[in-house]
């Protein structure tokens, strides 16, 4: 009986153990490990095409653009397409001059894929090869404008200023033209004269290209100070003194540029050919044969041709009873014939040595109401001043330019 009790208790205990194991909640499963990060390769960068190779082609004498291209291994058909594309973009092929440069760009296969042509620092044309053939484009660049002071002192001649680098030849000519009705540089300029200019220059990418114009000028000679202020009245640009009076007179002081007077106006001069003492009612300008001679004022041609000892002569009639004579010319200018109208500074002939002349020079005479007068001392009529309606604006403009003109120039200017 006792044995049966032990068996029963063992059975009950076994059932309890089995029941607890079946009832108790299952232990949480361990999380699955995260996958190891996998390095993803970046897309490879696209291969860069090899750089283009650029070469310069100089247009030769008697060259066309097409011929210059063919001389540099450009096939005939391609050269024709390039010239057509450039022409379509606006290039006037007749104006492409010897010495100008074409830029050819070649790919790795040595084929021309682009052509550039810059006739000026401000304009560039390009032609590019594309799927549809060659196409041309035009690019414009605005010049960089700035004001610079240029100054100098005359040592022997005005040309000293060019050789010293203070002026370009174009600036020098403009300076002379500003004051040519007030001052005869061929006669009156002397060592020690001083000039000071306010010049508007044009640059490209910071590099000087040329000068646009002189906007203000001063010239001092023997204590006399000349001032010229550039000012626009309507659509006409001119130069005026500090009070607004025009520097452009109805008559120029000289009928040609940069010469010397070999004989002045006098009533008693030994004649070099005929002998004796005779009046010389003219100004003789020694100058090389072929030097252009211009009309000193607007007028009408009264005579043009050979006239005895005067050689080839042009005679002009002007307002206020004036006439001018130009003698010993080598030839007359184009279109100069009796009755033709001329304008101030129009070329009417060229220096020569025809007639009673010992060498190339211009015999220049001025008569008023039939009586010869000295061109260097005659008081000619002034041009139109600044209109009264614009006088206040001019005076303000002049004061500002003169302040800048008197400022210290930059080093090297």
């Amino acid at each position: 009986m006792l044995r049966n009790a032990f068996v029963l208790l063992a059975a009950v205990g076994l059932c309890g153990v089995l029941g607890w194991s079946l009832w108790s909640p299952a232990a949480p499963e361990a999380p699955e490990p995260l996958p190891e990060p996998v390095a993803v390769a970046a897309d490879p960068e696209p291969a860069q095409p090899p750089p283009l190779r650029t070469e310069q082609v100089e247009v030769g004498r008697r060259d066309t653009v097409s011929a210059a291209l063919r001389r540099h291994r450009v096939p005939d058909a391609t050269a024709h397409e390039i010239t057509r594309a450039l022409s379509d973009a606006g290039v006037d092929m007749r104006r492409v001059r010897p010495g100008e440069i074409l830029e050819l760009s070649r790919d790795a296969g040595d084929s021309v894929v682009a052509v550039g042509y810059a006739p000026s620092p401000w304009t560039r044309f390009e032609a590019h090869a594309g799927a549809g053939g060659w196409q041309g484009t035009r690019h414009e660049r605005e010049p960089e404008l700035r004001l610079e002071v240029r100054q100098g002192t005359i040592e022997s001649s005005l040309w000293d200023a060019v050789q010293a680098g203070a002026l370009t030849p174009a600036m020098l000519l403009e300076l002379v033209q500003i004051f040519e009705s007030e001052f005869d540089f061929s006669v009156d300029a002397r060592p020690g004269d001083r000039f000071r200019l306010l010049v508007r220059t044009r640059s490209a990418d910071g590099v000087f290209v040329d000068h646009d114009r002189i906007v203000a000028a001063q010239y001092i000679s023997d204590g006399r100070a000349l001032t010229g202020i550039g000012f626009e009245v309507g659509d006409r640009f001119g130069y005026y003194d500090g009070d607004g009076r025009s520097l452009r007179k109805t008559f120029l002081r000289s009928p040609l540029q940069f010469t010397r007077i070999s004989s002045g106006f006098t009533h008693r001069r030994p004649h070099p050919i005929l002998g004796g003492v005779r009046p010389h009612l003219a100004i003789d300008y020694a100058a090389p044969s072929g030097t252009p001679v211009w009309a000193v004022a607007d007028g009408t041609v009264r005579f043009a041709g050979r006239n005895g000892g005067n050689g080839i002569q042009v005679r002009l009639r002007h307002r206020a009873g004036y006439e001018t004579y130009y003698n010993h010319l080598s030839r007359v200018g184009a279109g100069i014939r009796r009755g033709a109208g001329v304008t101030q500074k129009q070329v009417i002939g060229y220096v020569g040595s025809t007639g009673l002349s010992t060498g190339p020079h211009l015999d220049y005479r001025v008569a008023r109401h039939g009586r010869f007068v000295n061109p260097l001392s005659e008081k000619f009529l002034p041009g139109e001043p600044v209109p009264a309606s614009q006088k206040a604006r001019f005076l303000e403009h002049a004061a500002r330019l003169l302040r800048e003109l008197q400022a210290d120039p930059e080093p090297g200017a």
Side-chain angles (χ1 to χ4, degrees):
M1 180 127 184
L2 184 60
R3 179 181 173 194
N4 289 340
F6 279 116
V7 171
L8 180 61
L9 288 172
V12 172
L14 179 62
C15 289
V17 171
L18 289 173
W20 174 259
S21 65
L22 291 174
W23 175 83
S24 62
E29 297 181 0
E32 295 183 6
L34 293 175
E36 293 292 331
V38 178
V40 179
D43 292 335
E45 293 185 5
Q48 296 295 323
L52 299 178
R53 178 171 53 86
T54 301
E55 63 182 274
Q56 293 189 335
V57 174
E58 182 176 337
V59 178
R61 293 183 61 188
R62 299 188 181 88
D63 250 351
T64 63
V65 170
S66 182
L69 293 172
R70 289 196 299 270
R71 282 193 292 103
H72 284 73
R73 299 177 290 108
V74 178
D76 287 355
T78 303
H80 177 73
E81 287 191 60
I82 291 171
T83 56
R84 178 195 55 76
L86 291 173
S87 181
D88 289 346
V91 176
D92 185 347
M93 293 298 168
R94 297 169 299 180
R95 292 183 176 274
V96 178
R97 300 296 183 220
E100 292 189 309
I101 300 297
L102 303 172
E103 292 181 355
L104 274 60
S105 297
R106 297 180 182 270
D107 61 15
D110 204 39
S111 296
V112 176
V113 294
V115 174
Y117 167 61
S120 80
W122 329 118
T123 305
R124 179 179 174 83
F125 297 91
E126 293 180 352
H128 294 271
W134 283 81
Q135 299 294 323
T137 55
R138 175 179 180 143
H139 306 276
E140 297 286 349
R141 175 165 57 181
E142 288 294 323
E144 303 157 14
L145 300 178
R146 58 180 296 189
L147 292 178
E148 296 182 1
V149 174
R150 303 292 180 97
Q151 62 181 347
T153 301
I154 307 304
E155 295 182 4
S156 59
S157 72
L158 274 174
W159 194 249
D160 297 336
V162 175
Q163 294 178 322
L167 299 179
T168 65
M171 289 179 194
L172 176 60
L173 288 174
E174 192 172 344
L175 168 63
V176 170
Q177 290 167 357
I178 290 171
F179 296 120
E180 63 190 351
S181 292
E182 299 284 328
F183 191 84
D184 191 341
F185 284 90
S186 62
V187 179
D188 300 328
R190 62 194 64 194
D193 288 0
R194 292 175 288 123
F195 67 85
R196 196 173 178 95
L197 311 178
L198 189 61
V199 180
R200 189 164 68 193
T201 63
R202 303 193 301 175
S203 301
D205 295 331
V207 178
F208 171 81
V209 174
D210 60 13
H211 93 284
D212 181 43
R213 65 169 37 145
I214 295 173
V215 298
Q218 287 186 330
Y219 190 88
I220 301 173
S221 176
D222 196 25
R224 179 188 180 194
L226 301 172
T227 298
I229 302 296
F231 189 67
E232 200 165 289
V233 177
D235 59 352
R236 187 169 183 173
F237 183 86
Y239 291 94
Y240 303 83
D241 68 12
D243 294 320
R245 292 184 292 264
S246 175
L247 295 182
R248 182 183 183 272
K249 300 296 189 290
T250 53
F251 278 71
L252 300 177
R253 292 265 293 174
S254 173
L256 68 173
Q257 198 71 61
F258 291 117
T259 57
R260 64 180 177 86
I261 289 181
S262 56
S263 184
F265 185 96
T266 178
H267 288 274
R268 294 181 58 82
R269 184 193 74 158
H271 197 282
I273 295 178
L274 300 178
V277 176
R278 297 168 180 263
H280 185 253
L281 307 181
I283 302 296
D284 283 353
Y285 289 93
S289 289
T291 300
V293 176
W294 54 59
V296 294
D298 298 346
T300 304
V301 179
R302 292 200 63 189
F303 179 84
R306 286 195 174 270
N307 184 14
N310 294 312
I312 296 177
Q313 179 191 71
V314 171
R315 191 161 76 244
L316 306 179
R317 182 178 63 246
H318 311 279
R319 58 178 292 199
Y322 283 104
E323 287 192 17
T324 54
Y325 299 69
Y326 310 82
N327 298 327
H328 306 310
L329 302 173
S330 60
R331 59 189 174 97
V332 300
I336 302 302
R337 57 185 178 276
R338 183 179 176 86
V342 297
T343 57
Q344 188 179 71
K345 258 197 156 178
Q346 179 179 338
V347 174
I348 59 168
Y350 300 86
V351 169
S353 187
T354 56
L356 295 177
S357 169
T358 58
H361 73 285
L362 173 69
D363 176 287
Y364 168 61
R365 303 174 182 241
V366 177
R368 187 178 188 192
H369 300 307
R371 176 177 170 271
F372 286 109
V373 296
N374 187 346
L376 301 183
S377 60
E378 185 71 6
K379 300 297 183 183
F380 295 110
L381 298 174
E384 293 293 326
V386 172
S389 60
Q390 300 189 47
K391 187 69 174 290
R393 184 168 70 90
F394 168 80
L395 292 176
E396 180 182 350
H397 170 77
R400 177 174 58 83
L401 291 186
L402 289 174
R403 283 195 301 269
E404 296 200 41
L405 185 62
Q406 298 305 322
D408 289 334
E410 294 183 4

